[in-house]
Amino acid sequence: FQEPGADRSKVCTGHQDLKLDWDQHHAVVKTGARIGYDCISKEHYGPEATRIAFTKRLIDEGYGDQLMLSGDIARQSYLTSYGGGPGFTYILWRFVPWLWTEGVSHEDTNRLLVDNPIQRYLINSPMLSSLVADPDGGYTIYVQNESPGAEKAANWLPAPKGPFQMILRLYWPKPDALN
């Protein structure tokens, strides 16, 4: 990303916690890029205690705003409703409280995570039928803290107050998505 001149503050390197290597993670955030810890709860990739320690250290060293937490829950075997685990609640009910016991403040964890009154954390193509289309067939998505009102609420993606990070995940996008 450096050679073509990309704005590294707009880059997030995901799955960084597949290999828990502090020097490599630190090198990434020092460039200004964001880092994704999205294998939280997956002990087979490395001890959760190490993820906690790295998360705390990144926050303590001033890189908390470059850290993105998630659980890559992509299989039925990870879902508690199918008898698996850890499930979608792991980060909020286990990982975050563990951070607090290690001295990470509620303010810092609130910066990583957002209260969300409608429990919507993404908008993707399977949701299109529930969105309200614009007259031209496109969609206006309201990414903001407060509800845009009842008539626009179907297209609302709640966001925190103040500055926040937004990620667009595009797989083989057509040219019009890039312009």
Side-chain angles (χ1 to χ4, degrees), residues 120 123-124 127-133 139 141 154-156:
R120 179 183 287 165
I123 292 181
N124 59 15
M127 299 169 68
L128 289 179
S129 64
S130 67
L131 299 177
V132 176
Y139 295 91
I141 307 300
N155 295 26
W156 177 34

Side-chain angles (χ1 to χ4, degrees), residues 5-179:
D7 177 353
R8 282 172 272 164
S9 70
K10 308 263 191 262
V11 173
C12 178
T13 306
H15 295 309
Q16 287 295 289
D17 55 336
L18 286 174
K19 183 177 180 192
L20 293 167
D21 177 340
W22 172 256
D23 291 333
Q24 193 264 332
H25 298 195
H26 192 238
V28 170
V29 295
K30 279 182 18 181
T31 69
R34 300 179 191 285
I35 190 169
Y37 283 2
D38 48 8
C39 296
I40 293 172
S41 81
K42 296 180 180 176
E43 291 270 341
H44 55 280
Y45 294 125
E48 198 73 338
T50 304
R51 273 185 203 84
I52 292 286
F54 283 14
T55 298
K56 182 178 185 323
R57 190 169 173 189
L58 287 165
I59 291 167
D60 289 347
E61 293 190 15
Y63 298 109
D65 289 338
Q66 292 170 244
L67 177 60
M68 303 179 80
L69 303 178
S70 68
D72 190 0
I73 308 293
R75 298 182 185 149
Q76 275 188 348
S77 62
Y78 294 141
L79 301 173
T80 55
S81 59
Y82 287 93
F88 290 116
T89 59
Y90 181 88
I91 291 174
L92 295 177
W93 292 359
R94 307 242 351 244
F95 193 82
V96 170
W98 190 348
L99 287 170
W100 294 333
T101 67
E102 297 298 322
V104 174
S105 71
H106 285 255
E107 181 182 359
D108 284 328
T109 56
N110 286 342
R111 216 177 278 127
L112 294 171
L113 307 165
V114 179
D115 288 329
N116 190 318
I118 62 171
Q119 303 298 304
R120 179 183 287 165
Y121 300 94
L122 64 88
I123 292 181
N124 59 15
S125 53
M127 299 169 68
L128 289 179
S129 64
S130 67
L131 299 177
V132 176
D134 295 332
D136 66 0
Y139 295 91
T140 299
I141 307 300
Y142 301 93
V143 183
Q144 58 193 57
N145 182 257
E146 300 292 327
S147 170
E151 60 208 37
K152 298 177 182 176
N155 295 26
W156 177 34
L157 183 61
K161 292 180 181 176
F164 65 94
Q165 305 171 56
M166 185 166 162
I167 302 293
L168 296 178
R169 195 174 214 177
L170 305 173
Y171 297 97
W172 298 283
K174 295 178 181 171
D176 53 343
L178 302 173
N179 296 316

